[in-house]
Amino acid sequence: MRVARGLVLGILVAFCFSISAQNKLSHNLKKEIGVLAPQADFLFSEQNYYRALPLYLKLLSLDSTQDYYRYQAGICYIYTNDKDKSIDFLKRVYSHSPVFGDILYYLGRAYHVNCQFDTAISYFQKYVANNLTEERKESARRYIGYCNSAKDLIAHPVKVKITNLGSPVNTDASEYAPVITADESEIIYTYRGPQSTGGLENINYKPDSNGEYYEDILMSQKVGEGWVIPEKLSSLDTKGNDASIALSTDGEILFTFRSTPEDGGDIYMSKLNGDSWTKPVNLGANVNSKYWEGSCSLSSDGMTLYFASERPGGFGGRDIYSSRQQSNGKWGVAHNLGGNINTALNEDAPFIHPDGITLFFSSEGWNNMGGYDIFYSTLNQVDSSWNRPVNMGYPINSPDDDRYYVLSADGSRGYFSSSRKGGYGQEDIYVVSPGYRGSRPVLALTIGVVTVDEKPTSADIKVSDMKTQEPRGDFHSNANTGKYIIALTPGTKYKIAVEVQGSEPHIEYLDVDSLATFVKVQDDVHLYTPEYKQAHNITVADTNESLQKKVDQQVAAYTAEGNLDTYDARVYQSLLNNYGTVDSAGVSYNLELGTYQNPKDFDSTKYHGLGTILHRVDAQGNTIFYVDSMSTLLDAEILKYKVIARDSNIKKHIMVTVNENGKRKLMQQFYLDEYKKDKQDYVPDTTTHVITNTPMISLSNESRSQATVNLDTSQLVNDYGHSSIHGLSYKLELGTYTDTSQFKLGFLSKYGAIKMEKFPDGTIHYYMGPFHTLSQAKDFQENLAKKEPEASKAIVMVFYFGKPKTLEQFFSPPCSTGPPQDFTAFIGKNLNDPEVYDKLMQMAGDICMDGLTFTVQVAAYRHPDNYKYSKLTSFIPPDPLKQPYPDGITRFTLRQFNSLKKAEFFRQDVIQKGTKDAWITAIYKGKRMLLQELIAANFYSNSVN
């Protein structure tokens, strides 16, 4: 945001009043101040607040009597990450001189940016009451409006999760204007900071300590849930400002901003040729003018460009325009989007979603919190008008500038840049989920690789409308990787022609006339030359399953996802998502394994190691077998699927029930209000029974001492002993008793605290610890036994999220493929979220199946020769497996494991050695899959594909 000219004049007037106080300073101090003050004021006038601030603080240290320096520093703090400091600096000036410069205005700004809106309004009102020019009053009135809007938006926050994209993308400099491919595999953004080409330069691009950093363009690729180290797009690098502003849906066309001293800044276009970008080309006079044009977005069909311009004749300073591509490839006359988008203030940073009807942009107008806020508007397809914009809401928007919003094709995540408090640097890139307040976007996203004779190739992909016979876009696969992305909007039938010179064309027809959901399909296209077909005895040009069939399958899958078999199942899944981890006093969960007329028919040996199985007889004489006293619904659900994995036939009998203060209730009874939300006439089974708590069976001290006799604990320590995992701890169990007077090892407390825990079965367990790693626990156990022979029967127990297990139960659980399991609660969830990841580990850590292994990825490089794995020498041999992939990224992986839990132990070892971005990937029948892909493809079922 720019400082109004009148406000700058007020600052300079205040400076004049402060000069006389310097007469008392020594000659040397005056000399130093005479050097620093002009530099600070120059940087301030250029709105380079980050670099001006330390100079004003230095000046204050030289002469603390100068309120002018304190005033300037307070204003600078408004634009930094230390915004809260602005209040203290400006209040001190105000206490000395309530009429100093525009102190009332900037106090209002300071309180506004720190979300103290009522106080901010009071200062703005005092400011307006002074004898000011209308321009200066208008600025204060506008901020009063911002404060009122902010109060309303914060009172009604949107339910989203906002995460700083973090290192290596964000630094202590400025990263902004992110653009992404539709599949989120790549992010390109603008960087301004110490790593900028040329460093600090003046307007003639000469080194100048009082100059500025010019913008550069960086790119990073997504690998798993993380991003690889960004690389500068050197082919687009110039001495001046080079900023990324838009990327085509398929990532093959990049729009950039360039400015020179001779113009206000223009939009350029480059195309990706393999892995390098062509020389940027100016978009021409219909888009660019002698005024500023600095942001844009291209529709998914490549035919419409939306851009921001400061040209005269609009509604305000910057307006958003559109231009259609002509048959000759040039851009047509620009049209202002009108008063439903543009205001008397500035609009900037348009982004048209691949669905073609949702436009995101930033505005200083409308119902705004301050600075630029992010809005969206949808296209009225009846008359092609734009609907009134909707503020994306708090906390997406803040009192500061929030701009450059882009949305993933499925609407699940949005990316934007902001200078809000708490960032890494001046501006950071953030990701928000879900990324859209409305319903899921509707389109068919087709992603694939085109090959000729089994090698990736550049292909021309022509899409036409079967209804109108008009072209709907010309696309290309990447020359190096063969990758292509096409977004097809609903309402028609398409013809898709893939052509490569020397091969027969591949033609697909796709009917999405009535498509009503988002679908994403992989559709690889294999073309062959006549010579290759003859040499390899290939009788058909393409063996792919039809694109139409794949889309129809995805539509069916998404429909099934939203419409589960029964109303009860839908509500139960919702309960699991919303209340799965809630632990309430007086409430526990039981897992009922079935009700048997003849209890001898129940085979408990199938479920050995999964918990103590109790039983009770109901009023009809039937026997109910169950496991009780689980503190959360999620615990019961996890156990349910472990039981099913042992015996798929039990699935139709097994169910979770609630024990509320000793009374058995069905889930439908306990959560009756939830079941009635969408079905007011819902009536559950009202039968209730009193649960008689049959005592749990505990291992005797003698049997516990033999718990690890068949286990090679030395190998366990070697493999897992040094790993520290969240939720996992170890304790040394000294014994189990029913009578505390029998415990005779209290003297061991001189070696550490002894804690007593009473179990639900009434037994009392004595522990020492906890220990973070197995090796720590085993070392303590062995040393204690050497010193005190009475402690020789103590055993190491594992506590995984508070649940005790023997070493054998935890490290050597039975491996079973089991039936298909329901992991839909994890679909779309961020596995970097510790809570989500912990739940996944609890539920799936021990499960394994034929053909499925896990490996730990330790690095991903576009230029693999740059990778040095000196930190991993203790794990070698074998050397990391080096595997190039079609996306141009080479992955390095170490080891293979048959379960997720064992892979996690090794991942933690790798992280402790200094490789912080290690993560787990799966290999299923030779195909690499991310964990999220496994989850989306029916995680751990026999139909993973």
Side-chain angles (χ1 to χ4, degrees), residues 683-699:
V683 179
D685 179 2
T686 58
T687 305
T688 58
H689 302 279
V690 175
I691 299 175
T692 55
N693 292 313
T694 306
M696 290 176 58
I697 302 172
S698 294
L699 291 176

Side-chain angles (χ1 to χ4, degrees), residues 187-252:
I187 185 170
I188 298 176
Y189 60 95
T190 303
Y191 169 86
R192 186 197 290 268
Q195 302 305 315
S196 294
T197 299
L200 291 169
E201 296 180 327
N202 61 24
I203 60 173
N204 296 315
Y205 312 121
K206 302 296 183 183
D208 184 348
S209 60
N210 286 326
E212 64 177 332
Y213 296 115
Y214 285 88
E215 296 173 322
D216 286 339
I217 302 172
L218 274 64
M219 181 189 74
S220 179
Q221 293 183 305
K222 194 172 188 179
V223 179
E225 294 293 335
W227 297 90
V228 301
I229 296 173
E231 296 182 356
K232 190 177 293 186
L233 299 186
S234 55
S235 61
L236 302 179
D237 198 20
T238 69
K239 293 181 178 179
N241 284 317
D242 303 297
S244 60
I245 55 177
L247 189 66
S248 61
T249 299
D250 60 3
E252 294 289 305

Side-chain angles (χ1 to χ4, degrees), residues 45-184:
S45 68
E46 292 292 307
Q47 300 178 35
N48 197 335
Y49 305 111
Y50 268 87
R51 293 189 56 221
L53 177 59
L55 297 182
Y56 285 124
L57 295 177
K58 176 66 175 177
L59 287 165
L60 263 178
S61 71
L62 297 175
D63 184 2
S64 61
T65 66
Q66 288 300 308
D67 275 342
Y68 171 74
Y69 303 145
R70 188 171 289 105
Y71 177 74
Q72 295 290 87
I75 296 172
C76 288
Y77 273 124
I78 291 174
Y79 298 94
T80 69
N81 284 333
D82 295 319
K83 302 178 191 301
D84 53 332
K85 292 183 179 180
S86 63
I87 294 175
D88 292 335
F89 273 69
L90 294 173
K91 280 183 69 177
R92 188 169 175 183
V93 175
Y94 182 71
S95 68
H96 295 164
S97 176
V99 294
F100 193 98
D102 286 299
I103 187 65
L104 292 172
Y105 175 83
Y106 282 107
L107 270 169
R109 290 285 309 279
Y111 279 104
H112 163 262
V113 81
N114 282 284
C115 296
Q116 298 181 47
F117 302 116
D118 288 332
T119 306
I121 289 173
S122 69
Y123 279 108
F124 286 129
Q125 288 173 337
K126 291 176 183 177
Y127 183 73
V128 171
N130 289 340
N131 187 22
L132 304 171
T133 64
E134 191 57 35
E135 177 188 3
R136 295 163 79 180
K137 288 183 179 181
E138 179 56 34
S139 179
R141 291 192 187 106
R142 185 165 72 250
Y143 271 93
I144 291 174
Y146 288 160
C147 289
N148 287 322
S149 291
K151 288 164 64 177
D152 179 63
L153 290 166
I154 290 178
H156 304 90
V158 294
K159 294 182 179 180
V160 294
K161 181 177 181 179
I162 298 176
T163 307
N164 188 299
L165 206 58
S167 177
V169 173
N170 289 324
T171 69
D172 57 2
S174 288
E175 291 81 24
Y176 51 96
V179 294
I180 59 171
T181 52
D183 63 348
E184 300 177 85

